[in-house]
Amino acid sequence: MKSFMMLILILVLSIILVSCQTTGLKIGGLDVGKLVNQGVALWDVNNIDEKQEIQFGQNMSAVLLGVRPLVENVKLNNYVNTVGGWVASNSSRPNLPWRFGVINSSAINAFAAPGGFVFITSGMLLQLENEAQLAGVLAHEIIHVVEQHHLNAMKEGAMRGALTQTLFISADAYQENNKANRKDREYSAWAKKISGMAQNLYSKGLDRADEYTADQYGMRLLAKSGYDPFAYLHNLQTLEAISPDDSSLALMYKTHPTPTERLQALSAQLLLLENIEGVLLANRFYSSVFE
Amino acid sequence: MKAIFTFVLVFMLLSMHSFHVKAEVKTEVRTGTLVFKSHVFEEPKLQSKSIKILNANEAIKVHRRQRAWYNISSNDELLGWVKMLNIRFAGVMRRESEIGVLSLLSSTRSSNLPTVSTGVRGFDEKDLKKAKANIKQIEMLNTYAVQPESLQYFIREGRLFTNDIKVKVKTTQDEESGKGEGK
């Protein structure tokens, strides 16, 4: 009995000590100070390294693929990965572990997530006529990744608190993941926070200026990769011709400038790239996508 | 013997025909209108001779594209070349019910999972709000990563090359040219 009382006393003292060690810093419902004292590495919002960026992008991609899964067509996904892999190899971050996927959705859209994750919907794929147009859509998304547009958006304004909180939880889950014994409870908390922020970001969209930048740099990256850069304008003109009221374009119209505005902003590239020769590869596109 | 010879000949002709169809790049004639009053040029370049001026909103047909120029006709008369941004296409949207599209969704499947639905599968704000992270899909995504040898073959086959172009050259709308009237 005496030893039992001693054990209780030690336990109580330990709890008090641990409580004293917390900094009291709380973000949302999360006791950040406690996490720090438990040895969880802090992820500085303003200084996220590449490994953290990839981990974060993977988490966000899981949310996108939670909306709609990938098309179960190995040949098609391999083809899109190869086109994207080639274009990404010409970008300023060729060594990211680039991944490209076709999301099974009739919506017309494309998405990117930090660390090298790029997705195109099957609905968008249907509107394309050649490999150059596909490469153009992927190049636009590659620029978002290369320029860290998503991370920058989350660092700003109302999302900053959410990002900090999510990164703490990501760090926690990441450590557990590395130990290969992640607890379900922590995983649920992590997934919930990541989901909330990714949902918010993909619903709200990036800054319009980032979209124009992705168009301009993307068109130039397309040309650098040996494709006909004007194929990208042709694709935007195809999207421009679809009624804005069509439900398949709802999210794209909410999160991007209109195709007409984007075409106007790109008109200056006509002179800069007018002497560039590039390929379209329509036959390879058709045989890879539709046969 | 004669029948066999005829069969072989017909087979060869059919094979040649199908090869020709496959090699042909599909070029659809599309309808549209002119956004601006536009010069029509003899060749697809600004230094070329202007052969006609068409008014804004005029209906045209687009036959092909060469770089940033469209070859157009109006009232069934093949005219010449106009700058591509002077044109707005009439609405054409491809739907999944079109021929060939089903293969995009269901051929060479990687597993025995149920056939993918081809109905409306939206991706809007409501769908995003309901979404739950799907880590298994990330595992599947990783299986599609491109292998270096496949990429090298792909580059050779497409005769792709890297152009000496600086990617980060930003321009503004103020610098743009060619807006308004077509020339």
Side-chain angles (χ1 to χ4, degrees), chain A residues 70-85:
Chain A
L70 294 165
V71 167
E72 293 169 30
N73 183 326
V74 178
K75 181 183 163 192
L76 177 67
N77 279 291
N78 284 341
Y79 173 65
V80 172
N81 265 275
T82 317
V83 176

Side-chain angles (χ1 to χ4, degrees), chain A residues 62 68 70 73 90 99 104-106 147 199 213 216 220 224 234 237 246 271 277 283-284 290, chain B residues 23 67 70 84 95 103 108 116 121-122 128 134 137 142 154 157 162-163 166 168 170-171 177:
Chain A
R68 300 283 168 205
L70 294 165
N73 183 326
N90 286 296
R99 297 283 186 273
N104 187 357
S105 170
S106 45
E147 297 295 314
Q199 286 161 345
T213 299
Q216 295 198 24
R220 298 184 67 79
K224 186 181 178 183
H234 188 89
Q237 286 186 310
D246 195 300
L271 275 182
E277 292 283 357
N283 286 336
R284 183 158 79 174
F290 297 117
Chain B
R67 291 204 280 273
Y70 284 130
M84 72 183 294
R95 307 274 180 187
S103 66
T108 59
V116 175
R121 303 171 316 285
L128 267 165
N134 189 338
Q137 283 284 306
N142 287 335
F154 171 88
E157 186 196 50
T162 300
N163 264 318
K166 195 178 169 192
K168 292 189 183 185
K170 204 168 181 179
T171 53
S177 61

Side-chain angles (χ1 to χ4, degrees), chain B residues 151-168:
Chain B
L151 184 57
Q152 287 311 312
Y153 175 78
F154 171 88
I155 294 164
R156 280 197 307 275
E157 186 196 50
R159 295 180 184 175
L160 289 162
F161 55 89
T162 300
N163 264 318
D164 185 19
I165 291 173
K166 195 178 169 192
V167 170
K168 292 189 183 185

Side-chain angles (χ1 to χ4, degrees), chain A residues 185-232:
Chain A
R185 186 179 56 79
E186 287 165 340
Y187 174 79
S188 300
W190 160 78
K192 196 176 167 189
K193 295 293 174 191
I194 291 282
S195 296
M197 195 168 57
Q199 286 161 345
N200 190 9
L201 183 61
Y202 290 119
S203 299
K204 181 174 165 274
L206 294 166
D207 191 295
R208 295 295 189 267
D210 288 345
E211 294 298 344
Y212 288 125
T213 299
D215 275 342
Q216 295 198 24
Y217 292 179
M219 194 173 160
R220 298 184 67 79
L221 177 60
L222 183 65
K224 186 181 178 183
S225 304
Y227 291 105
D228 177 350
F230 303 107
Y232 187 64

Side-chain angles (χ1 to χ4, degrees), chain B residues 41 43-49 69 81:
Chain B
F41 293 90
E43 292 176 60
K45 54 187 176 187
L46 278 175
Q47 299 79 9
S48 170
K49 186 182 167 191
W69 296 81
W81 299 86

Side-chain angles (χ1 to χ4, degrees), chain A residues 31-87:
Chain A
D31 190 340
V32 174
K34 195 173 173 183
L35 272 178
V36 173
N37 289 324
Q38 285 171 353
V40 174
L42 291 184
W43 289 22
D44 179 358
V45 176
N46 294 312
N47 192 25
I48 295 166
D49 67 24
E50 194 169 288
K51 196 174 174 184
Q52 293 164 336
E53 184 185 350
I54 294 164
Q55 173 71 22
F56 198 57
Q58 186 172 297
N59 299 347
M60 289 178 66
S61 299
V63 174
L64 284 173
L65 296 173
V67 179
R68 300 283 168 205
L70 294 165
V71 167
E72 293 169 30
N73 183 326
V74 178
K75 181 183 163 192
L76 177 67
N77 279 291
N78 284 341
Y79 173 65
V80 172
N81 265 275
T82 317
V83 176
W86 163 243
V87 178

